[in-house]
Amino acid sequence: MSKYNFDYLDELEAEAIHILREVAGQFEKPALLFSGGKDSITLVRLAEKAFRPGKFPFPLVHIDTGHNFEETIDYRDRMVARLGERLIVGSVQQSIDEGKAVEQKGKNASRNALQTVTLLDTIEKHQFDACIGGARRDEEKARAKERIFSVRDEFGQWDPKRQRPELWNIYNGKIHKGENVRVFPISNWTELDVWNYIRRENIELPSIYFAHDRDVITRNGQLMAASPFVNMDEEDVVERKKVRFRTVGDISCTAAIASEADQIDDIIAEISQSKISERGARMDDKVSEAAMEDRKKGGYF
Amino acid sequence: MNILKFFTAGSVDDGKSTLIGRLLYDTDSILADQLEAIQNANRKNDDGTVDLAILTDGLRAEREQGITIDVAYKYFQTDKRKFIIADTPGHIQYTRNMVTGASTANLAIILVDARNGVVEQTIRHSYLVSLLGIKHVVVAVNKMDMVDYSETVFDAITQKYKSLAEELKLQDITYIPVSALKGDNIVHQSERMAWYSGDSLLHFLEQVDTDVQEKSEKARLPVQWVIRPQTDELHDYRGYAGRVVSGTFKVNDKITVLPSGASSTISKIEFFDKELDEASSGQSVTIHLATDVDISRGDTIVNSSALPQESKLIEADLCWMDTKALDTSITYLLQHNSKVTKVKIADVVYKVDINTLEKHAADEFKLNDIGRVVLKTADTLALDLYHENKANGSAILIDSRTNLTVGATMFRALAD
């Protein structure tokens, strides 16, 4: 009999596919939250593996801050065209225009927090009962305690003290009307696992993940893209540097790192040696030790 | 490279979070900004060193109280293995969290405080390990620095534990003397315990053979989803999607679909763009059958030569997980793989005092209680017993009034 070789990436992949199929089987109106970042791109590949040659049993939903890297939007549109799946865009700009969200002021203003308003609105409008997201437990310590099926109340809130026990590989997706579940199929993956998987599967990524020349400013010790969406003043010095991004978020709160890594092998080598976690490049996490916990309680991804 | 999932059992004062923190710290798994956050935190050890326990205490209430409330999952890897740690609280009021963390583990680390030896909670933790059927156990005798790294103390604890292990029928046990605080025998071999010639904890975790797990050979695939594209080109395509929970399916195998009992032959096994000759335990695949059979989510495809048991009346061990006590007069939901059916608790056979292991009659079942019950299900279940096949021998109970997961059950026998 041939030796059956099932390595750690196969195991993580099989687990994620199992979770995606549980979503399809247990919910009426699920959605896959697609940010254009590497984690949600990985989710899309996993969904192809779970459901092809059939259609996805859910649309892709992009919560668009309006403060995007052009490369991400371009990537998103090409990907959706290739997949032939439905894309729903929830617009933060629209939430602001309708007065539901208020633009932050000041130098470090970002639309990151406003996404929650648009996300909850989009969930309500489309009556989604499950939202699949690419969050991982290794990202942040409040995430380390989140379930794979994470129930949110009518207001999108996460209550860490009322989490359901999650045993074996059995996921309880039963909810009351108005509630919804956030589902995290790659909970058990690390950043390095995601990169190794992307390399193995030969998955295309938006170009901003790879080293490129860009105008940046240095703020609070971090490199930020010089863009019309970042509030700049005369103290800010624009420099052209070779950088890449480790996460893809709102352009106004996602820091770049100086890097020469323009190939996936170089990126994996760089991450393996890196001493800074990927959320270390997220200004939104720096606010306090409980920053992520508080945002999740408020309905954040 | 494969994955080892382990969980740690120990209580507030045993230094469990410190042990995990030490494993992460000494394997260079803590990144600079995370370390900076810890160093900035207002909690230090008495000698001024960083309190590594903060690494796993993720929630604000936990940091405030200096305890672990919920299950926290931590990840690290060496060049030999990827590790997933379920860090669970040890106090009796968090038994349900420990059961949760233990349910997916290949290995358990039971922490014993060298100063106190085998105590009530050691018995409780070991009982849970045997209940959940974890095959590999490491007894980490911690705080060796507080007993002058004494071999005599270590030997006495080892002897004491052996009789407990015998009573609980625990088999593969490894004893390691450690100091999580000082780093002895966690990642690096300790020079302060020359009398100990075994592996450091990490070295042991790196090489323990998880394939020895008594995985059932009987092929089972609970159907999660039926793939039917219904396009012109794929008009007749009908694939049964699911994860093989045990055994191996091969093309041309004769299979039976339960509960209907219909049989057929596997015509094709697909995985995305590949066709496979076979699919084994752990793989998520799509199966095609040679004949038209009515199959939907909740059905189980099994190898016809190794049929599971079928019953509506099952003796099971139950761990109650809800603050609202078990009510034997109401109907709950039971979720067994992809199948959900109504269930009543027909009888409470006994409850176990998990500190003393004594069984006694009981008519109530409250949060964290564990014991033997008889489940009466509305639909017939195609099941295996837990000790033969964890995945097909376990289920959760759901309270349909609250939708909460209120119980974990492990099938032990068919009831008459």
Side-chain angles (χ1 to χ4, degrees):
Chain A
M1 207 180 90
S2 63
K3 176 85 182 105
Y4 143 70
N5 194 3
F6 196 58
D7 81 354
Y8 75 106
L9 286 178
D10 295 320
E11 190 173 337
L12 292 171
E13 177 187 63
E15 176 184 65
I17 292 170
H18 173 251
I19 293 162
L20 287 169
R21 288 169 170 173
E22 281 304 290
V23 174
Q26 292 195 37
F27 296 94
E28 298 292 324
K29 283 207 76 180
L32 188 152
L33 301 176
F34 182 80
S35 69
K38 67 181 189 315
D39 299 310
S40 57
I41 289 168
T42 298
L43 283 182
V44 167
R45 169 55 55 97
L46 292 164
E48 288 184 88
K49 293 205 174 190
F51 302 111
R52 290 292 185 244
K55 297 277 276 183
F56 292 178
F58 38 70
L60 306 181
V61 171
H62 181 216
I63 302 303
D64 180 357
T65 63
H67 290 179
N68 299 298
F69 292 97
E70 265 175 48
E71 296 89 336
T72 316
I73 298 300
D74 172 59
Y75 177 94
R76 179 195 76 186
D77 293 342
R78 277 187 295 117
M79 190 195 73
V80 168
R82 174 181 70 79
L83 290 170
E85 298 288 347
R86 193 155 72 99
L87 173 73
I88 292 170
V89 178
S91 158
V92 172
Q93 185 61 52
Q94 195 181 335
S95 300
I96 292 169
D97 295 345
E98 289 170 358
K100 290 177 176 165
V102 179
E103 193 97 75
Q104 290 181 356
K105 300 267 184 337
K107 203 166 171 178
N108 292 321
S110 117
R111 285 185 168 181
N112 187 58
L114 308 186
Q115 288 180 91
T116 303
V117 175
T118 310
L119 172 65
L120 297 181
D121 258 10
T122 308
I123 290 172
E124 197 170 320
K125 181 175 162 200
H126 295 274
Q127 299 283 299
F128 293 130
D129 51 5
C131 293
I132 302 159
R136 308 187 321 268
R137 287 177 178 148
D138 84 317
E139 280 180 75
E140 208 279 335
K141 61 192 171 223
R143 288 220 197 272
K145 307 214 163 179
E146 179 135 24
R147 302 295 185 262
I148 289 174
F149 273 37
S150 179
V151 179
R152 305 302 173 95
D153 68 11
E154 214 178 324
F155 304 97
Q157 299 178 105
W158 180 58
D159 181 352
K161 291 197 184 122
R162 288 194 71 241
Q163 296 202 86
R164 297 173 181 177
E166 205 156 68
L167 296 122
W168 298 289
N169 297 312
I170 309 174
Y171 305 102
N172 171 8
K174 292 261 180 303
I175 48 170
H176 294 294
K177 203 164 171 49
E179 292 176 336
N180 65 83
V181 178
R182 305 286 169 83
V183 179
F184 304 111
I186 59 168
S187 284
N188 286 327
W189 300 40
T190 61
E191 183 187 18
L192 197 55
D193 295 335
V194 171
W195 279 106
N196 278 317
Y197 187 72
I198 287 168
R199 173 166 63 181
R200 188 183 86 168
E201 297 290 312
N202 204 9
I203 300 170
E204 189 200 336
L205 288 181
S207 55
I208 62 167
Y209 277 109
F210 301 94
H212 56 282
D213 292 318
R214 183 179 288 269
D215 288 340
V216 293
I217 56 169
T218 304
R219 182 145 321 154
N220 304 329
Q222 300 204 298
L223 300 174
M224 305 295 294
S227 100
F229 304 125
V230 176
N231 293 337
M232 292 192 283
D233 57 30
E234 56 280 3
E235 283 174 27
D236 291 311
V237 182
V238 176
E239 299 169 279
R240 192 143 185 96
K241 287 193 172 160
K242 191 144 200 180
V243 297
R244 65 178 195 86
F245 292 86
R246 272 176 89 177
T247 66
V248 171
D250 181 335
I251 202 166
S252 57
C253 74
T254 306
I257 54 168
S259 171
E260 296 290 325
D262 55 4
Q263 302 293 324
I264 193 156
D265 289 343
D266 302 333
I267 290 174
I268 288 172
E270 194 179 272
I271 293 167
S272 304
Q273 289 156 18
S274 170
K275 285 277 152 196
I276 301 285
S277 76
E278 79 195 295
R279 294 210 77 91
R282 293 292 283 257
M283 309 299 282
D284 40 325
D285 287 342
K286 297 243 160 184
V287 186
S288 81
E289 204 182 354
M292 175 65 90
E293 183 179 342
D294 291 342
R295 269 181 295 146
K296 288 180 79 68
K297 283 178 178 167
Y300 189 69
F301 299 106
Chain B
M1 192 161 82
N2 62 9
I3 302 177
L4 179 76
K5 294 181 183 167
F6 66 92
F7 99 105
T8 47
S11 95
V12 183
D13 302 319
D14 295 338
K16 178 176 47 64
S17 293
T18 307
L19 178 113
I20 294 172
R22 174 61 67 185
L23 270 175
L24 298 172
Y25 188 82
D26 283 1
T27 54
D28 246 355
S29 310
I30 303 169
L31 300 166
D33 55 328
Q34 293 167 340
L35 203 56
E36 186 190 342
I38 299 166
Q39 275 156 349
N40 290 338
N42 281 324
R43 220 171 91 198
K44 293 275 157 67
N45 291 318
D46 296 339
D47 62 359
T49 52
V50 179
D51 182 354
L52 294 172
I54 304 178
L55 283 170
T56 52
D57 296 341
L59 303 174
R60 183 176 278 165
E62 294 177 326
R63 287 192 298 279
E64 282 166 3
Q65 298 169 41
I67 55 165
T68 313
I69 294 170
D70 207 332
V71 187
Y73 295 91
K74 283 279 156 189
Y75 304 82
F76 71 102
Q77 75 182 59
T78 65
D79 50 10
K80 306 244 170 44
R81 232 180 206 157
K82 175 180 163 79
F83 297 95
I84 302 181
I85 315 173
D87 179 17
T88 60
H91 194 270
I92 190 155
Q93 74 188 94
Y94 302 115
T95 296
R96 64 169 165 176
N97 307 76
M98 202 175 314
V99 169
T100 302
S103 72
T104 52
N106 314 110
L107 178 147
I109 298 177
I110 294 180
L111 269 143
V112 175
D113 186 326
R115 295 169 303 175
N116 307 327
V118 174
V119 294
E120 194 174 79
Q121 66 145 351
T122 318
I123 299 174
R124 177 158 45 85
H125 296 161
S126 303
Y127 172 71
L128 296 178
V129 167
S130 85
L131 183 79
L132 273 295
I134 298 176
K135 299 293 179 227
H136 306 277
V137 178
V138 173
V139 176
V141 180
N142 191 26
K143 305 201 180 179
M144 288 300 291
D145 55 308
M146 308 286 273
V147 296
D148 291 331
Y149 298 102
S150 159
E151 183 177 13
T152 319
V153 170
F154 177 71
D155 285 347
I157 292 171
T158 308
Q159 283 313 316
K160 186 92 188 283
Y161 194 87
K162 278 181 180 157
S163 55
L164 174 64
E166 206 162 304
E167 189 180 347
L168 291 170
K169 299 190 176 67
L170 296 173
Q171 276 153 15
D172 179 15
I173 306 169
T174 304
Y175 300 89
I176 305 179
V178 304
S179 165
L181 190 67
K182 308 288 181 191
D184 296 286
N185 285 336
I186 302 293
V187 169
H188 309 290
Q189 197 87 20
S190 172
E191 288 168 10
R192 290 178 281 223
M193 287 178 275
W195 48 266
Y196 173 75
S197 56
D199 289 323
S200 69
L201 177 62
L202 180 71
H203 188 245
F204 179 76
L205 297 176
E206 281 182 328
Q207 50 82 34
V208 60
D209 186 1
T210 52
D211 293 337
V212 187
Q213 300 263 340
E214 292 163 36
K215 269 192 189 144
S216 172
E217 296 294 312
K218 297 172 178 174
R220 313 274 181 255
L221 180 134
V223 175
Q224 295 181 269
W225 183 251
V226 181
I227 297 176
R228 292 201 65 190
Q230 292 175 303
T231 54
D232 289 343
E233 318 86 86
L234 294 166
H235 191 260
D236 295 323
Y237 185 103
R238 194 180 249 274
Y240 304 103
R243 193 173 189 190
V244 181
V245 298
S246 60
T248 299
F249 288 99
K250 295 192 177 73
V251 174
N252 295 326
D253 274 358
K254 292 211 169 0
I255 60 92
T256 302
V257 181
L258 295 169
S260 75
S263 56
S264 186
T265 303
I266 296 179
S267 59
K268 191 161 74 171
I269 302 174
E270 278 184 316
F271 179 56
F272 188 43
D273 51 359
K274 293 188 207 63
E275 274 194 36
L276 310 177
D277 297 331
E278 59 179 56
S280 293
S281 172
Q283 289 183 277
S284 286
V285 294
T286 303
I287 282 185
H288 295 256
L289 300 179
T291 52
D292 272 345
V293 185
D294 182 21
I295 300 179
S296 51
R297 178 179 164 83
D299 291 344
T300 309
I301 296 176
V302 306
N303 189 306
S304 299
S305 62
L307 296 175
Q309 311 196 55
E310 291 186 81
S311 182
K312 289 182 175 182
L313 216 50
I314 306 151
E315 260 198 49
D317 280 328
L318 169 66
C319 173
W320 194 254
M321 304 193 147
D322 197 23
T323 48
K324 199 186 284 180
L326 166 68
D327 183 346
T328 50
S329 71
I330 68 163
T331 299
Y332 292 93
L333 296 173
L334 178 140
Q335 188 172 344
H336 173 237
N337 288 314
S338 58
K339 173 152 190 94
V340 178
T341 177
K342 288 181 177 176
V343 66
K344 279 192 159 189
I345 313 303
D347 188 22
V348 175
V349 183
Y350 58 77
K351 216 159 79 171
V352 178
D353 178 331
I354 60 172
N355 286 324
T356 61
L357 308 184
E358 283 162 11
K359 295 168 185 168
H360 48 83
D363 41 352
E364 62 166 11
F365 233 84
K366 293 188 298 192
L367 178 65
N368 295 320
D369 280 348
I370 293 176
R372 184 65 57 92
V373 297
V374 175
L375 305 169
K376 185 179 176 190
T377 56
D379 297 345
T380 302
L381 293 186
L383 65 103
D384 294 293
L385 300 183
Y386 188 77
H387 72 276
E388 294 167 347
N389 189 333
K390 276 191 190 181
N392 205 37
S394 55
I396 59 168
L397 295 183
I398 299 166
D399 185 333
S400 49
R401 298 167 297 183
T402 60
N403 289 327
L404 294 175
T405 301
V406 294
T409 66
M410 288 141 278
F411 304 153
R412 300 298 184 190
L414 299 193
D416 300 322

